[in-house]
Amino acid sequence: MSQYSIKSLAEYFDVYRKSVSDPERFWAEIAEEHFEWHRLWDRVLYWDPVKPEVRWYDGARLNITENCLDRHLRRRKDQAAIIFEPNDPDSPAVTITYGELYERVNAFANVLKSQGVGKGDRVCIYLPMIPELAVAVLACARIGAIHSVVFAGFSSQALASRIADADCKLVITADGSYRGAKTIDLKRIVDVALESCRGVERVLVVKRVGTEIEMKQGRDLWLAPLLAEAPKTCEPEVMDAEDPLFILYTSGSTGKPKGMVHTCAGYMVYTAYTFKNIFAYRDGDVYWCTADIGWITGHSYIVYGPLLNGATTVMFEGVPSYPDYGRFWQIIEKHRVNQFYTAPTAIRALARQDLSYVTRYDLSSLKVIGTVGEPINEEAWHWYNEHIGQKRCPIVDTWWQTETGGIMISPIPYVTPTIPTFATLPFIGIRPALMDAEGRELEGHQVEGRLCIKFPWPSMARTIWGDHQRYKDTYFSTFPGMYFTGDGALRDAAGYYRITGRVDDVIIVSGHNLGTAPIENAINAHPAVAESAIVGFPHDVKGNALYGFVVLKGDASDADPDVLRREINGLIADSVGPIAKLDKIQFATGLPKTRSGKIMRRILRKIAAGDMDDFGDVSTLLNPDVVEELKQNAV
Ligand code: WTA
């Protein structure tokens, strides 16, 4: 018997040792004992670090939705699978049992089939956090279509580029979405996006807000009548272990988003196993992750991980500040939530509010509380521990990425002693390495370097959709043979890891990864702009905020700076989304550059942080006088 649920630190070390000394045997046992397969694998792991190519459970056949749904019908037909908490606190919550979810997914799968979608086709899902989102994801998986969920806060241009990159055939959206007191016209955003995406044959529209929208003849259909007519059972498509399950886009160092490809079997095994252990989920618990399903956290730990374990997972449509800052805590009390998983930026925003927003609710149901998305600062950790966990609940600070599919470094609650700001120990099977700038591995304790993973794990992304070379260049070339995360980390005397932040040109703002390149491209599209550079600077709530240095063309120097600032942020909102707007914009006559023409972002970061003293080695700088000017005019 494999140890599926780890109960002591000694057991963790024991299982960890087994998982790294004989990974194939270990992952075979977990997979065989806890999942249903149509056929078992011929080989557990194939790994070629040069190509790079990784395959887990090669030859196995399965459908992930049978593991999420069908097998639970025996024991859990009437148990809640999803509890939907709407944006409006006065609207009733909706409980969807495993039996109902099974029928809804199957009906939706039949609708997709009737619209000509089949195995391997890409389906773009652009929906708010309503049950149809989870149902649509599973319906795609049921028939072997590859879902590409795009977070419904992205602009039409960002949506269009993702639809085009994956060559999606069908889009699923809603008339609109609720966000606090606001409504957003999602369908309009889709209509604009589709002006430039010819390949989309069909748009299915969920009625959510009931606003008047335009339905394009021959292309757009309301979902509800189709669902009403669809049969409620649909034979699952039996998939190969390595068939793609989904594509999810993440920001990168160029303007083009990277479509990370996750495959069926390895992703299933790893998300289920991590969910079970890292949230210490026990039968009957109610689990709530506040992320959006548009991000990897929602894919792995709202939908797949929980449902694979037969858990009850809460989906919340709204925002933490509506109708007031007590909403999260009110929901915990209302649904007797046992595991709560959120982002440091939300914790910081809520910690600034009056404590009575917390104390008026009963949080005694909580057993485990977690964070993800960015480093959690010490102050926020203590507030979370004291006021939400009430010093009873272990905090799981979980480090992972879109690319890793599942949690990689994290405490196991009630097992791993926690220390504020440390993600602590690698999860079972994960072999982190810290590397120095010369590519040497830093052995031992009390070292800091670039975080890599030395050995494959089941849920790692297999490629970038349509661009395997970029996958190799981005992740496997900096330190040959190893997966490079883009993060820095340190390892302390106890072997605990603390993530120090990105070491590349991704900036995490309010938990959202933003690449600098797409934002700079948006700014440079302004007719008055010659060039620009953006950097992050520390922000109390967002973690980082964006600071733009903008060089205007010669003939634009007498333009009104406030108008320009508004126009620049408008361009960014259109091309990336409102989350990427700049907090500060400084106009300059030039940017500090090296002789080879590279912008010295290190200097810009210091100026943006208001730290003007020591710029380090500036001997390679081509234009030192521009630094003086930038310092003088910092905003
Ligand atoms: C950061 C989110 C510190 C990190 C699951 C990573 C974290 C990026 C943590 C991935 C954490 C995530 N502590 N930093 N616990 N969790 N990060 O792809 O920089 O949206 O590389 O995946 O978030 O963000 P992504």
Side-chain angles (χ1 to χ4, degrees), residues 277-355:
N277 281 289
I278 292 167
F279 299 103
Y281 188 87
R282 301 292 174 259
D283 257 2
D285 285 349
V286 175
Y287 161 90
W288 179 25
C289 165
T290 70
D292 192 291
I293 293 175
W295 310 114
I296 191 69
T297 305
H299 281 61
S300 302
Y301 300 111
I302 295 178
V303 181
Y304 288 113
L307 297 178
L308 285 163
N309 283 283
T312 299
T313 174
V314 175
M315 263 183 89
F316 174 45
E317 183 184 26
V319 294
S321 55
Y322 179 81
D324 63 42
Y325 284 99
R327 189 69 192 275
F328 274 6
W329 322 128
Q330 181 249 336
I331 295 173
I332 292 174
E333 174 184 283
K334 177 173 173 190
H335 297 298
R336 305 297 296 154
V337 170
N338 303 111
Q339 290 89 0
F340 176 69
Y341 191 29
T342 195
T345 184
I347 297 169
R348 287 190 298 263
L350 296 171
R352 290 159 69 97
Q353 313 307 322
D354 198 284
L355 201 56

Side-chain angles (χ1 to χ4, degrees), residues 175-351:
D175 52 355
S177 67
Y178 295 117
R179 264 187 91 70
K182 284 189 291 196
T183 357
I184 297 160
D185 295 330
L186 284 192
K187 176 63 167 52
R188 272 266 334 125
I189 298 173
V190 171
D191 288 341
V192 175
L194 292 189
E195 283 166 16
S196 63
C197 299
R198 301 264 162 260
V200 174
E201 294 158 14
R202 183 66 79 224
V203 178
L204 300 179
V205 187
V206 177
K207 186 172 256 172
R208 176 62 186 144
V209 299
T211 45
E212 208 41 51
I213 58 162
E214 231 172 273
M215 295 292 278
K216 190 169 168 196
Q217 272 278 313
R219 188 193 70 187
D220 303 348
L221 293 173
W222 289 105
L223 182 67
L226 298 173
L227 280 176
E229 282 174 16
K232 292 188 175 50
T233 54
C234 171
E235 273 305 300
E237 182 78 32
V238 179
M239 306 288 282
D240 284 333
E242 284 295 338
D243 279 335
L245 174 64
F246 66 85
I247 303 171
L248 186 60
Y249 286 87
T250 185
S251 318
S253 55
T254 70
K256 204 167 173 302
K258 294 178 288 192
M260 305 313 306
V261 177
H262 284 282
T263 57
C264 294
Y267 177 82
M268 172 178 81
V269 170
Y270 194 79
T271 54
Y273 185 50
T274 45
F275 174 80
K276 174 76 184 158
N277 281 289
I278 292 167
F279 299 103
Y281 188 87
R282 301 292 174 259
D283 257 2
D285 285 349
V286 175
Y287 161 90
W288 179 25
C289 165
T290 70
D292 192 291
I293 293 175
W295 310 114
I296 191 69
T297 305
H299 281 61
S300 302
Y301 300 111
I302 295 178
V303 181
Y304 288 113
L307 297 178
L308 285 163
N309 283 283
T312 299
T313 174
V314 175
M315 263 183 89
F316 174 45
E317 183 184 26
V319 294
S321 55
Y322 179 81
D324 63 42
Y325 284 99
R327 189 69 192 275
F328 274 6
W329 322 128
Q330 181 249 336
I331 295 173
I332 292 174
E333 174 184 283
K334 177 173 173 190
H335 297 298
R336 305 297 296 154
V337 170
N338 303 111
Q339 290 89 0
F340 176 69
Y341 191 29
T342 195
T345 184
I347 297 169
R348 287 190 298 263
L350 296 171

Side-chain angles (χ1 to χ4, degrees), residues 13-27:
F13 283 117
D14 180 46
V15 178
Y16 183 81
R17 193 182 36 74
K18 285 185 191 151
S19 73
V20 299
S21 64
D22 193 350
E24 297 201 32
R25 179 166 169 194
F26 176 79
W27 288 115

Side-chain angles (χ1 to χ4, degrees), residues 389-501:
Q390 302 175 336
K391 297 191 179 158
R392 287 179 294 109
C393 305
I395 296 181
V396 289
D397 176 353
T398 64
W399 173 83
W400 59 297
Q401 308 179 297
T402 305
E403 295 86 338
T404 68
I407 296 168
M408 302 288 280
I409 303 182
S410 169
I412 295 176
Y414 301 102
V415 168
T416 319
T418 59
I419 303 181
T421 77
F422 281 80
T424 75
L425 296 170
F427 190 70
I428 305 302
I430 303 306
R431 295 176 54 194
L434 298 178
M435 309 297 289
D436 72 9
E438 278 74 53
R440 282 181 304 243
E441 182 171 354
L442 299 162
E443 306 276 356
H445 295 160
Q446 308 280 27
V447 289
E448 178 166 358
R450 278 142 203 258
L451 178 62
C452 292
I453 311 293
K454 282 201 271 200
F455 194 79
W457 63 100
S459 65
M460 64 197 282
R462 303 297 196 256
T463 189
I464 290 175
W465 183 261
D467 197 350
H468 194 68
Q469 187 60 41
R470 188 175 180 200
Y471 174 77
K472 179 172 179 161
D473 294 344
T474 311
Y475 302 109
F476 292 91
S477 300
T478 319
F479 304 103
M482 288 187 193
Y483 169 78
F484 174 46
T485 64
D487 283 319
L490 62 83
R491 184 167 53 225
D492 78 356
Y496 273 24
Y497 290 86
R498 174 196 204 157
I499 312 302
T500 50

